[in-house]
Amino acid sequence: MHRHHSGEDEQVWPEIRRRDPSAAALLDQMDADHRRLAGGMEDLEAVAGSFGAGTVPTSEILTELARLQEVLLPHLAREEQEMMPVLAQVLTHGEWHELSHRAFVKGKSLQNLAMEGHWVLDNATPEDRARMLTVLPAVPRFLLLRFLGGPYARKFEALWGGSGSNEEISNEVESDVR
């Protein structure tokens, strides 16, 4: 999430601000959200470290997840409902493709991209998965699906083996937080 927000803060938001000065208040809110989320992620990482060391109960992780969720969910809604329409007004599809590549893909290792790609696909609905795969050019799609899934599968198994799919795990955590 840190890398994603850095890409927005360093590449996307400045371009939107340059092209549409009337979006300044919304962009300021997005920046403020990112700062709050960074603090929440740091708090969660600290508690997770203590949990890993056996010094805090699971309930503390769930509490930190709930706190992070209180900031993250409104931020995601604002991004989708308010920011994306602004972005769509000021950037062409081609400009967005180039900007998002620069902000979110460039500089990442193939291994990191493959891990992120499989994580996103693993959590997508079948319809979203099919749509996302059509965006990838044929050769990267083939490599992602045929050769680069092993590390993701091993990491998933090490973390969650025997505990269900990502969707089942997410649903369990969500119900625990509520």
Side-chain angles (χ1 to χ4, degrees), residues 101-178:
H101 185 272
R102 190 171 66 233
F104 307 122
V105 176
K106 189 175 178 181
K108 290 183 180 178
S109 69
L110 182 61
Q111 180 182 4
N112 187 277
L113 289 170
M115 194 70 75
E116 288 179 11
H118 278 282
W119 177 75
V120 168
L121 291 172
D122 197 30
N123 287 284
T125 65
E127 297 81 19
D128 286 342
R129 177 185 167 88
R131 184 178 44 77
M132 286 185 271
L133 286 173
T134 62
V135 173
L136 279 175
V139 172
R141 182 176 58 239
F142 178 80
L143 292 172
L144 177 72
L145 296 175
R146 301 289 184 238
F147 296 106
L148 300 174
Y152 175 82
R154 286 188 292 278
K155 186 170 186 175
F156 180 89
E157 182 62 28
L159 292 170
W160 307 109
S163 61
S165 70
N166 275 358
E167 183 176 338
E168 291 168 343
I169 293 162
S170 295
N171 290 339
E172 287 176 27
V173 169
E174 188 173 319
S175 67
D176 287 347
V177 169
R178 289 183 188 158

Side-chain angles (χ1 to χ4, degrees), residues 33-46:
D33 288 352
H34 285 181
R35 287 191 299 278
R36 290 179 59 212
L37 286 164
M41 288 185 294
E42 289 170 7
D43 293 345
L44 178 59
E45 289 168 358

Side-chain angles (χ1 to χ4, degrees), residues 33-110:
D33 288 352
H34 285 181
R35 287 191 299 278
R36 290 179 59 212
L37 286 164
M41 288 185 294
E42 289 170 7
D43 293 345
L44 178 59
E45 289 168 358
V47 169
S50 296
F51 175 78
T55 59
V56 301
T58 304
S59 62
E60 288 195 38
I61 290 178
L62 295 175
T63 297
E64 288 304 322
L65 281 169
R67 285 186 187 138
L68 184 60
Q69 183 177 357
E70 288 173 11
V71 179
L72 181 59
L73 295 182
H75 170 74
L76 293 174
R78 185 173 12 268
E79 190 167 300
E80 290 297 318
Q81 296 165 6
E82 298 176 47
M83 195 71 247
M84 289 298 108
V86 171
L87 191 142
Q89 285 183 328
V90 301
L91 295 172
T92 67
H93 178 75
E95 289 169 330
W96 170 243
H97 179 75
E98 189 276 325
L99 180 60
S100 64
H101 185 272
R102 190 171 66 233
F104 307 122
V105 176
K106 189 175 178 181
K108 290 183 180 178
S109 69
L110 182 61

Side-chain angles (χ1 to χ4, degrees), residues 26-38:
L26 177 57
L27 290 162
D28 291 346
Q29 180 62 54
M30 300 302 284
D31 287 337
D33 288 352
H34 285 181
R35 287 191 299 278
R36 290 179 59 212
L37 286 164

